[in-house]
Amino acid sequence: MDIPRIFNITESAHRIHNPFTPEKLATLGAALRLEPGTRVLDLGSGSGEMLCTWARDYGISGAGIDMSQLFTEQAKLRADELGVADRVEFIHGDAAGYVADEKVGVAACIGATWIGGGVVGAIELLAKSLRTGGIILIGEPYWLQLPPTEEVAKGCRAGSISDFLLLPELLASFGNLDYDVVEMVLADHDSWDRYEAAKWLTMRRWLETNPDDDFAKDVRAELTSAPERYATYTREYLGWGVFALMSR
């Protein structure tokens, strides 16, 4: 069980696998007013930066589940590095359908709502692990402006324009599911740059050390096209944020 190899390569040096900086991740933790001892479930936990730094800074505990074997191992190393391995656990596995044995105060799916077939399914899945009065965190893209054509949407790595909503529509959709939006922290151009541009040096270094790998042509094609595609499409049209929801 693993994610597509291209992601394990391009994001192998990332600690945060979304367009968030460490500062924004800390802002989110502070915005949630996390109490020491709060238990957090993170479905699609990547390299574990959210759980590890929140355990260090806010005294939370919890578990993360991710399909990437590489990222899960990196998360365990990060927990050891920050001295929080006794408070956070990382599981290599499929987060789709995962329900915690113990109800949690925060249930998160940050940038991986596909595990529930989309936002609605992800919220329904997270709610199964949430204690009464707890908070659901959803990390999701939205359109900064509607792409003028389907080709532009595909340039943003969306399947079509209909894949995402404008921010007001996304916020309204949570209300339609009978949830209050109680906080949000949004990506900006700088955090997007840090997420996307960091991949380019990683790919170049990987190509230098793996010139004969059968996958090298795919990595070379991605590195050649990614900077222009990102600047033309994603940076101009696609937003991303984490939204905190509480059931009404």
Side-chain angles (χ1 to χ4, degrees), residues 152-246:
V152 172
K154 288 180 170 61
C156 299
R157 298 285 170 89
S160 68
I161 295 173
S162 63
D163 279 6
F164 307 125
L165 301 171
L166 291 166
L167 181 57
E169 296 170 347
L170 178 58
L171 294 173
S173 75
F174 297 132
N176 293 337
L177 296 172
D178 215 24
Y179 281 87
D180 288 322
V181 181
V182 297
E183 258 294 359
M184 70 178 186
V185 179
L186 305 181
D188 55 24
H189 275 153
D190 180 64
S191 58
W192 266 109
D193 291 349
R194 291 301 81 238
Y195 174 57
E196 291 289 346
K199 299 175 187 178
W200 308 338
L201 181 58
T202 300
M203 285 190 281
R204 177 56 190 261
R205 294 289 188 241
W206 186 91
L207 286 168
E208 290 171 351
T209 55
N210 298 275
D212 299 321
D213 193 291
D214 290 342
F215 201 59
K217 64 181 183 302
D218 298 271
V219 176
R220 163 44 63 191
E222 177 65 15
L223 176 56
T224 299
S225 62
E228 182 179 358
R229 179 195 58 76
Y230 166 63
T232 303
Y233 299 113
T234 306
R235 200 173 193 270
E236 297 306 310
Y237 288 95
L238 199 61
W240 191 87
V242 179
F243 306 92
L245 314 176
M246 295 182 72

Side-chain angles (χ1 to χ4, degrees), residues 110-142:
I110 308 297
T113 56
W114 51 266
I115 68 171
V119 171
V120 174
I123 290 174
E124 290 176 350
L125 175 59
L126 292 170
K128 295 177 182 178
S129 297
L130 194 68
R131 66 167 173 78
T132 302
I135 291 176
I136 285 176
L137 296 181
I138 291 290
E140 183 71 2
Y142 59 88

Side-chain angles (χ1 to χ4, degrees), residues 57-170:
D57 297 340
Y58 306 115
I60 63 98
S61 63
I65 298 89
D66 199 272
M67 284 184 66
S68 170
Q69 185 171 352
L70 172 64
F71 297 165
T72 303
E73 290 303 314
Q74 290 177 338
K76 293 176 181 178
L77 291 172
R78 185 62 167 155
D80 288 336
E81 178 186 359
L82 297 185
V84 296
D86 59 330
R87 298 204 294 277
V88 292
E89 174 189 15
F90 294 100
I91 301 165
H92 174 230
D94 188 355
Y98 185 92
V99 178
D101 294 332
E102 174 188 347
K103 297 289 186 181
V104 300
V106 177
C109 183
I110 308 297
T113 56
W114 51 266
I115 68 171
V119 171
V120 174
I123 290 174
E124 290 176 350
L125 175 59
L126 292 170
K128 295 177 182 178
S129 297
L130 194 68
R131 66 167 173 78
T132 302
I135 291 176
I136 285 176
L137 296 181
I138 291 290
E140 183 71 2
Y142 59 88
W143 294 123
L144 295 171
Q145 53 181 319
L146 279 180
T149 65
E150 293 291 347
E151 181 183 358
V152 172
K154 288 180 170 61
C156 299
R157 298 285 170 89
S160 68
I161 295 173
S162 63
D163 279 6
F164 307 125
L165 301 171
L166 291 166
L167 181 57
E169 296 170 347
L170 178 58

